[in-house]
Amino acid sequence: MECLSANDSRADNYLNIIQVHDQYENAVEKELSAHDSQEGEARLSNSPLSQGFRAQCIINDTGSMTEPVSPSPPLLDVRDLACAYGSLVALSGATLHVGHGECVCIVGPNGAGKTTLLSNIAGLYRPRSGTIGFNGKQIAGLGPERISQLGISMVPEGRRIFGTLTVEENLRLGATVRRRDGRVAEDIERMLELFPVLRDRFRSEAGKLSGGEQQMLAIARALMSRPKLIMIDEPSLGLAPLVIDRVYAILAELRAQAAITIVIVEQNTARIADIADRIHVVRNGRIVLSGSPAEISGTTMIDDAYFGFTTDPPDIGA
């Protein structure tokens, strides 16, 4: 990033941005003249200006300043999404934002619209109205193959692996959207390192794997397309508690290693607190509560929203 001297004429443009309000003017001038760069940076980054307007002016060792940093747009931006199966309304004004590298968990009772929301994003259904933005492009109404090529992969509820095909064949199918890509073998090896049990079952028919092994295969198959965003529908469905622990440990490891963005649909709210950056509760086709685990843990807000004890719980998250 270019660093501008305080004497540079272009600095005036940035000072105009910083001096949004008279009460900040003196503070900024003090920071510009401060000799302690670390102290100046800390005070300014914690100021209401930085927090409220998301513009940062960082003082470096020479007393010059960097350009203000604008917040990056979300990777996934769903707005006012509506979807119906005939006369049955499944989604009504659902809005969801997922930032780069985030892990967002969606919870809610059966029939709330969680799977329908993921299916619309993945292109399996066409929304009746609303928009779906992904990585700066509008994707609502595009087909699943095109959306997969753009960088979204989905692990469906119930895993949906091809039982008569081998583990290897299932993994190779996950890479078909990449067309002429010579790194498929390299990625298969990476999946076998991430999921060691699949190496032992590599030549076996996928239908002969246990439920937990099939879930790992489904996740690995989705990762073979090298997605920017992976959506996983009910990863704990039908699995033993120890297997669920292993699946979530792998998801946490995957996020740490690959910096991938993850959206998880889950009914078991106890499983998501350790991995989620934000939690959204869906009920009757609408997102009725959003917040970080820290904001809503130890309260009844999730239960109230999940079971409908309140009409419209407050949105306390970003």
Side-chain angles (χ1 to χ4, degrees):
M1 180 180 292
E2 181 184 10
C3 206
L4 302 180
S5 168
N7 295 323
D8 194 315
S9 60
R10 291 176 294 171
D12 292 337
N13 295 329
Y14 300 111
L15 285 174
N16 288 335
I17 296 173
I18 296 167
Q19 293 167 346
V20 177
H21 193 279
D22 289 341
Q23 64 178 305
Y24 302 127
E25 184 173 358
N26 291 334
V28 172
E29 289 177 352
K30 289 179 182 178
E31 299 301 340
L32 289 173
S33 61
H35 295 290
D36 187 339
S37 61
Q38 292 183 347
E39 182 182 357
E41 178 177 344
R43 286 202 302 268
L44 195 56
S45 62
N46 291 325
S47 69
L49 176 65
S50 176
Q51 296 176 357
F53 294 92
R54 303 290 181 90
Q56 294 180 349
C57 175
I58 306 302
I59 311 305
N60 68 13
D61 293 335
T62 62
S64 57
M65 68 180 186
T66 61
E67 300 180 20
V69 179
S70 299
S72 59
L75 178 64
L76 178 66
D77 188 7
V78 179
R79 296 177 183 269
D80 299 321
L81 203 66
C83 180
Y85 305 109
S87 60
L88 178 63
V89 176
L91 290 175
S92 177
T95 295
L96 175 71
H97 311 295
V98 182
H100 293 261
E102 277 193 313
C103 179
V104 171
C105 294
I106 302 171
V107 299
N110 284 331
K114 307 182 301 297
T115 296
T116 300
L117 176 58
L118 295 197
S119 297
N120 274 263
I121 296 170
L124 300 177
Y125 301 119
R126 289 179 178 268
R128 176 176 287 181
S129 61
T131 62
I132 305 173
F134 177 71
N135 206 26
K137 297 181 176 67
Q138 286 299 316
I139 63 171
L142 296 182
E145 181 180 5
R146 179 58 182 148
I147 289 176
S148 181
Q149 290 170 345
L150 289 173
I152 296 179
S153 192
M154 179 174 173
V155 180
E157 180 183 352
R159 299 176 279 280
R160 307 285 182 89
I161 50 94
F162 295 95
T164 59
L165 300 183
T166 66
V167 167
E168 178 187 8
E169 290 167 336
N170 271 271
L171 291 175
R172 290 190 179 277
L173 279 174
T176 54
V177 297
R178 291 163 54 179
R179 303 187 186 279
R180 298 187 184 123
D181 189 333
R183 296 177 294 178
V184 172
E186 173 188 331
D187 284 353
I188 288 178
E189 180 60 29
R190 188 166 64 95
M191 292 303 105
L192 298 181
E193 292 175 359
L194 189 61
F195 304 94
V197 68
L198 298 183
R199 189 184 298 276
D200 300 333
R201 308 286 194 271
F202 194 57
R203 305 294 182 187
S204 302
E205 290 186 359
K208 296 180 180 179
L209 272 59
S210 69
E213 292 167 347
Q214 289 184 6
Q215 185 64 274
M216 294 177 193
L217 175 58
I219 295 172
R221 182 183 62 187
L223 291 171
M224 284 297 296
S225 65
R226 292 200 169 198
K228 299 179 180 69
L229 167 66
I230 183 171
M231 304 186 298
I232 308 174
D233 195 356
E234 302 274 11
S236 64
L237 183 65
L239 302 182
L242 288 177
V243 178
I244 297 172
D245 290 341
R246 177 58 184 152
V247 169
Y248 271 94
I250 290 173
L251 291 177
E253 180 182 352
L254 173 67
R255 183 188 177 199
Q257 288 183 358
I260 195 170
T261 303
I262 304 174
V263 173
I264 300 174
V265 160
E266 187 60 275
Q267 288 196 47
N268 188 343
T269 58
R271 291 287 177 182
I272 61 178
D274 292 336
I275 192 173
D277 292 307
R278 284 181 295 118
I279 299 171
H280 301 281
V281 180
V282 178
R283 184 171 180 82
N284 295 330
R286 297 172 54 242
I287 294 178
V288 295
L289 176 68
S290 298
S292 70
E295 289 170 325
I296 59 183
S297 62
T299 73
T300 63
M301 286 190 288
I302 287 186
D303 289 344
D304 290 344
Y306 194 107
F307 296 108
F309 296 150
T310 59
T311 304
D312 277 312
D315 184 343
I316 58 174

